[in-house]
Amino acid sequence: SIRLPHEEIGAIMAREWLKEQYPEQAVDSITRAILKEADSAHGRLLHDADKLDKIGATGIVRRFSGNPAPGYLPVALRKLRDDLRHFPAMYFPTSERLAALKKSFTREFLLSVTE
């Protein structure tokens, strides 16, 4: 079975769901943003949302629920630290504020599990 990147799956689903409700130009703009093919307000917003999902409580749950194999805990912690260390700049002020809160939460979590 072929696994598509999540951006491609999202673009396919968005096109299918939106094609009957919005003009083709709007649907194209949204799907290009999902595919990260366009530097647009939609693309910047999706970038921020995608990156914010990697830290904070949601990011922690994603990292720890991704692999139930024994010994995965150190790998998940390392990935979480890497996500935090390499967190990109946000495009919007609200995203920056949310990122600051989520980074703080993630740092506190990491400190609590390494004590």
Side-chain angles (χ1 to χ4, degrees), residues 1 17 20 22 30 47 60 62 71 83-84 98 102 108 111 113 115:
S1 85
W17 292 340
E20 302 296 325
Y22 295 96
I30 292 167
H47 167 274
I60 292 166
R62 288 179 72 201
D83 290 341
L84 185 59
L98 286 169
K102 288 173 151 261
E108 288 181 34
L111 284 171
V113 297
E115 293 177 342

Side-chain angles (χ1 to χ4, degrees), residues 83-98:
D83 290 341
L84 185 59
R85 189 175 302 120
H86 302 292
F87 194 76
M90 298 282 94
Y91 286 103
F92 298 97
T94 299
S95 301
E96 282 292 345
R97 288 190 296 275
L98 286 169

Side-chain angles (χ1 to χ4, degrees), residues 12-108:
I12 291 166
M13 292 172 69
R15 180 167 297 285
E16 187 63 31
W17 292 340
L18 301 174
K19 69 182 181 181
E20 302 296 325
Q21 299 163 10
Y22 295 96
E24 182 65 24
Q25 184 177 4
V27 174
D28 283 344
S29 176
I30 292 167
T31 55
R32 281 195 328 274
I34 293 168
L35 292 168
K36 299 176 182 154
E37 294 176 350
D39 184 28
S40 65
H42 290 125
R44 290 186 294 274
L45 184 62
L46 287 171
H47 167 274
D48 285 5
D50 184 50
K51 301 309 175 192
L52 286 167
D53 195 40
K54 290 187 174 190
I55 58 172
T58 305
I60 292 166
V61 169
R62 288 179 72 201
R63 284 297 179 203
F64 288 94
S65 65
N67 188 336
Y72 183 69
L73 180 61
V75 173
L77 287 169
R78 187 181 71 249
K79 288 181 178 184
L80 190 59
R81 282 188 192 95
D82 288 345
D83 290 341
L84 185 59
R85 189 175 302 120
H86 302 292
F87 194 76
M90 298 282 94
Y91 286 103
F92 298 97
T94 299
S95 301
E96 282 292 345
R97 288 190 296 275
L98 286 169
L101 292 170
K102 288 173 151 261
K103 286 180 202 178
S104 176
F105 182 91
T106 303
R107 282 186 200 100
E108 288 181 34

